[in-house]
Amino acid sequence: TGVQTCALPILIPFTYSEYLLQDSPSGFPHQEFVQLIAALLSITCMLLLGFADDVLDLRWRHKLLLPTMASLPLLMVYYVSANRTSIVVPLLLQGLLGSSVELGLLYYLYMGLLSVFATNAINILAGINGLEVGQSLIIALSVIIFNITSLSGMSRNYHEFSLYFMLPYTTTTIALLAHNWYPSKVFPGDTFCYFSGMTFAVVAILGHFSKTLLLFLIPQIVNFIYSAPQIFHLLPCPRHRLPKYIKEDDKVKMSMAEAPLREIKPIGKLILKLFSLFGLVHLKYTTVGTEERLEFNNLTIINLILKFTGPMHEQTLTLTLLLIDGVKPSGLHGEVPPRDRKSTRLN
């Protein structure tokens, strides 16, 4: 992660060498440079906050507040440089709403929430060797492919801006994955997860494809929705929800959460009944003395896959999850591309 963070600042003098070598630089792209610096500031702030989380073990409310603070430079620069808050309406609704809709402040709220979600989504879907780095690499490759296929469009400059960040990120992430793959010699921790999430949010917002990024985060979105009852404490949530290791078979199986039935909130019981109705949770009722207890699998898609497949080797489980992550739509971005940015040097 340190190499990834250092790579981009080191590239700045080479990117703008055409102007720096002039005796009296003219035509310097100040607006573009400010966006670049703001992006680096947001990413670096999130990197430091991720390190603080690893060291101090922050509470969930801090994990929601701190990414919001780190995204403020990003949103301010977006407001000053572009301030485009229109979205393209799907064809089926254009007859009713027109070709685009102006969202105003709601769009900034969406971008702020995207930054918070992206920084936490990878961290929620984690816990086995290679998964955090592997899914980050797949998302980065998806963004790169999308950027390259969009270079011929009217928003070429913004996709070049995204590639300026994504290419160094991807190469260093590949090196990290080689050490993080099963059996892992290096563990990424919250530092890498937060750094990755903010990097994706930065390129999506300043590259004007923030809604397309959601298509690349579909597995993370599904995992968040499935995990929400435990994350928001509607159901008992242990500190760690990792799969349980079976030493005799060298496999992992789904981990379980357990609590007295009387302590589970009514809405939690309703959620478990609905999940059970669709086969999305394993329930087990037991009686200890006179107390009835309820046991259910921890609500992550890692444990959900193990519920359907049974115990599995950890490396096979990682490959299964990454395969699911890799099979998703490429999509087309729905923002109205700004037309006031006339040049870029990030190529």
Side-chain angles (χ1 to χ4, degrees):
T1 304
V3 174
Q4 294 169 334
T5 310
C6 294
L8 292 173
I10 290 174
L11 289 174
I12 291 177
F14 299 97
T15 303
Y16 296 97
S17 59
E18 175 183 346
Y19 301 98
L20 297 177
L21 295 177
Q22 297 178 3
D23 294 332
S24 55
S26 60
F28 189 87
H30 295 283
Q31 178 176 298
E32 174 189 284
F33 185 70
V34 169
Q35 288 188 349
L36 175 63
I37 297 302
L40 290 174
L41 177 60
S42 291
I43 292 172
T44 305
C45 286
M46 204 63 249
L47 175 68
L48 294 175
L49 295 174
F51 177 75
D53 191 11
D54 279 330
V55 174
L56 303 176
D57 194 16
L58 301 176
R59 295 180 179 274
W60 265 107
R61 59 176 176 267
H62 300 138
K63 295 183 180 183
L64 298 178
L65 175 63
L66 296 178
T68 303
M69 297 172 59
S71 66
L72 290 179
L74 183 65
L75 298 181
M76 286 297 298
V77 168
Y78 184 90
Y79 174 78
V80 172
S81 62
N83 194 27
R84 298 302 294 260
T85 56
S86 299
I87 62 170
V88 175
V89 176
L91 292 176
L92 294 176
L93 299 177
Q94 286 188 3
L96 182 64
L97 301 176
S99 60
S100 65
V101 173
E102 177 66 36
L103 296 181
L105 289 177
L106 289 177
Y107 194 75
Y108 284 92
L109 177 62
Y110 159 74
M111 290 190 291
L113 292 175
L114 176 65
S115 300
V116 174
F117 175 76
T119 52
N120 286 283
I122 296 172
N123 194 34
I124 296 173
L125 181 56
I128 57 177
N129 289 184
L131 183 56
E132 297 99 315
V133 183
Q135 64 181 300
S136 299
L137 179 59
I138 289 175
I139 296 169
L141 291 174
S142 300
V143 172
I144 288 174
I145 293 172
F146 172 70
N147 290 151
I148 292 175
T149 57
S150 302
L151 286 177
S152 59
M154 61 188 305
S155 55
R156 171 189 176 93
N157 295 341
Y158 298 96
H159 294 290
E160 289 179 346
F161 181 90
S162 175
L163 287 172
Y164 181 81
F165 285 87
M166 283 291 96
L167 292 177
Y169 172 86
T170 301
T171 54
T172 52
T173 301
I174 291 173
L176 177 59
L177 182 60
H179 295 281
N180 182 238
W181 195 252
Y182 182 91
S184 179
K185 304 178 185 65
V186 176
F187 298 95
D190 293 338
T191 303
F192 173 80
C193 295
Y194 288 178
F195 169 80
S196 296
M198 184 55 76
T199 301
F200 297 142
V202 161
V203 299
I205 291 173
L206 294 182
H208 299 274
F209 58 91
S210 58
K211 292 188 296 300
T212 300
L213 179 64
L214 294 179
L215 294 176
F216 303 144
L217 295 174
I218 287 177
Q220 289 74 23
I221 294 172
V222 171
N223 183 66
F224 172 76
I225 294 173
Y226 185 58
S227 299
Q230 285 190 305
I231 292 174
F232 296 109
H233 296 287
L234 302 177
L235 289 167
C237 183
R239 179 66 181 86
H240 297 288
R241 301 184 295 166
L242 310 178
K244 187 174 181 180
Y245 180 63
I246 309 173
K247 184 176 181 180
E248 297 77 12
D249 300 327
D250 192 25
K251 294 182 178 180
V252 291
K253 66 177 182 179
M254 60 181 178
S255 60
M256 308 293 288
E258 183 182 14
L261 188 59
R262 58 181 172 81
E263 294 182 3
I264 298 179
K265 301 174 182 178
I267 188 173
K269 294 177 182 178
L270 177 60
I271 291 171
L272 288 177
K273 287 181 180 179
L274 290 175
F275 281 179
S276 179
L277 181 63
F278 293 99
L280 299 178
V281 68
H282 173 78
L283 299 179
K284 181 180 179 181
Y285 294 89
T286 59
T287 301
V288 179
T290 59
E291 183 178 65
E292 189 174 9
R293 302 182 67 85
L294 175 60
E295 190 177 6
F296 60 92
N297 62 276
N298 283 306
L299 302 180
T300 67
I301 62 173
I302 301 175
N303 288 300
L304 182 61
I305 290 176
L306 292 171
K307 175 188 179 298
F308 292 130
T309 64
M312 186 185 299
H313 191 274
E314 184 172 342
Q315 185 174 6
T316 306
L317 178 59
T318 301
L319 288 171
T320 302
L321 288 162
L322 294 183
L323 179 62
I324 294 173
D325 202 359
V327 180
K328 52 196 171 187
S330 59
L332 295 173
H333 68 91
E335 288 85 352
V336 177
R339 298 177 175 82
D340 55 350
R341 186 176 175 184
K342 297 180 181 179
S343 67
T344 181
R345 310 309 304 173
L346 302 180
N347 50 32

